[in-house]
Amino acid sequence: MKVIISHDIDHMTVLEHLFKDLILPKFVIRANIELFNGKIGLAEYSCRISDFLKNKWQRIDEVMDFNDKMGIKSAFFIGVNNGVGLSYSLKHVEKWAPKILKRGYEVGVHGISFDNYEAIKMEFDIFKEITKMSDFGIRMHYLRKNDETLDFIEKAGYLYDATPQGFENPYKHNKMWVFPLQIMDGWIVNGEKRYQSRTLEEAKQETLKQIGKAKKLELSYLSILFHDRYMSDSFLTWKKWYEWLIRYLKNEGYEFVLHKEAINSLERLKKQ
């Protein structure tokens, strides 16, 4: 079983959310709930509040620095449109997409529209113009989709989609590859709640359970999502969980690949 690591870039700054959505009050409420429930300490709580003054919510370099240290590469999905709490401007995409690519990482679209072909195609065209690439994938923000989403994505020209959830191998939707997602940080740390409900040790045990399930089903690829924002002392459990997970997978001898590498292997297998 090979491992695909990816990161959804949901936020860049604090101020981008001012007067545009409800992310800031939700953030404060969440931090207070986790503090009073004993899931985070005062030091971690203070780090979260200080992030307001720093006006920085992305941790893209921090993720790449750690991944480089561990000798792995991963994929980043970045938004070129606004909606449902994703509110940063294209200037951030123009800055970060080339930087991520230059460091040898994969970049795709973090899609907003999932039910309108013209809007999906617009996002594809914007990203293509910024990156000068034509072969890239997409993952929908909040994993939103309907019965027509895959058809729209394929028609727009995407190489692959990484939106669906499920313990199944990558498969083809007509000519486009689809990579189901098995493990996401929020599912592991939050559980059934909308705020942190598990300790680090509980998160580790739940992760081992999910990896075991994938192995039992003999999946060829295990897809894992870690949001870059959590690579920070403001979210210690999340950060330590990700660092533990990568080290665990490395020690167990798993091979890390990018979506494009997986597609090349899958296409070769289909020709045999």
Side-chain angles (χ1 to χ4, degrees):
M1 183 167 66
K2 298 179 182 180
V3 178
I4 301 174
I5 303 292
S6 60
H7 317 283
D8 291 354
I9 304 174
D10 291 340
H11 312 284
M12 291 289 183
T13 68
V14 175
L15 290 179
E16 71 201 31
H17 297 288
L18 203 61
F19 309 122
K20 293 187 70 174
D21 52 50
L22 297 176
I23 292 296
L24 296 184
K26 287 180 179 179
F27 171 76
V28 174
I29 292 170
R30 172 185 170 183
N32 280 289
I33 289 175
E34 292 178 356
L35 176 66
F36 291 129
N37 284 347
K39 298 302 181 183
I40 65 173
L42 281 173
E44 188 172 350
Y45 182 83
S46 298
C47 284
R48 294 193 188 182
I49 300 305
S50 71
D51 282 347
F52 275 78
L53 301 178
K54 298 174 185 174
N55 194 34
K56 176 185 175 181
W57 269 6
Q58 57 79 15
R59 304 288 173 176
I60 301 169
D61 272 331
E62 289 85 343
V63 170
M64 291 193 291
D65 289 344
F66 175 75
N67 289 354
D68 284 349
K69 178 181 176 181
M70 298 304 297
I72 70 168
K73 296 299 181 183
S74 55
F76 288 82
F77 294 97
I78 190 167
V80 295
N81 194 6
N82 287 171
V84 286
L86 196 156
S87 300
Y88 52 83
S89 68
L90 284 177
K91 69 179 183 180
H92 293 290
V93 185
E94 292 166 350
K95 171 187 175 181
W96 281 105
K99 287 185 65 174
I100 295 169
L101 288 167
K102 187 176 182 179
R103 291 184 62 168
Y105 287 77
E106 190 176 283
V107 186
V109 173
H110 200 28
I112 295 298
S113 179
F114 69 97
D115 56 0
N116 180 284
Y117 169 72
E118 286 74 20
I120 290 173
K121 184 63 165 64
M122 177 195 71
E123 293 180 29
F124 177 91
D125 291 339
I126 292 172
F127 188 79
K128 181 179 179 180
E129 175 62 27
I130 291 173
T131 62
K132 309 306 178 187
M133 297 191 306
S134 58
D135 56 339
F136 50 87
I138 184 172
R139 174 180 288 135
M140 290 296 173
H141 189 41
Y142 283 118
L143 306 181
R144 298 190 304 167
K145 61 183 178 66
N146 63 19
D147 292 340
E148 296 180 299
T149 303
L150 284 177
D151 289 329
F152 291 159
I153 290 173
E154 182 189 24
K155 183 180 177 182
Y158 284 96
L159 178 65
Y160 67 86
D161 175 55
T163 302
Q165 310 165 41
F167 280 79
E168 55 183 320
N169 277 316
Y171 59 90
K172 264 196 165 180
H173 179 80
N174 299 320
K175 295 183 179 180
M176 180 184 71
W177 281 99
V178 179
F179 289 86
L181 177 65
Q182 288 84 41
I183 295 176
M184 181 169 72
D185 47 17
W187 300 339
I188 296 296
V189 181
N190 289 345
E192 299 296 323
K193 300 185 182 297
R194 302 189 69 174
Y195 51 86
Q196 183 175 331
S197 65
R198 290 189 174 118
T199 64
L200 177 59
E201 289 306 313
E202 290 169 341
K204 290 179 181 179
Q205 291 305 310
E206 179 63 24
T207 304
L208 293 175
K209 177 182 175 182
Q210 300 304 321
I211 294 174
K213 180 178 179 180
K215 290 171 65 176
K216 185 177 181 179
L217 292 171
E218 298 183 339
L219 295 190
S220 300
Y221 293 89
L222 178 68
S223 183
I224 299 172
L225 166 58
F226 176 73
H227 292 78
D228 67 288
R229 179 188 179 192
Y230 297 133
M231 198 64 173
S232 163
D233 288 346
S234 298
F235 296 91
L236 273 178
T237 299
W238 307 69
K239 177 185 176 183
K240 290 181 178 179
W241 170 77
Y242 180 68
E243 293 173 340
W244 163 81
L245 176 58
I246 298 302
R247 290 191 174 101
Y248 169 81
L249 294 169
K250 289 276 291 185
N251 290 337
E252 291 294 308
Y254 287 98
E255 180 183 352
F256 293 79
V257 298
L258 299 172
H259 295 95
K260 291 182 181 179
E261 294 172 327
I263 289 173
N264 290 337
S265 295
L266 290 165
E267 290 288 359
R268 284 196 299 268
L269 285 174
K270 287 179 69 71
K271 293 177 181 178
Q272 292 179 0

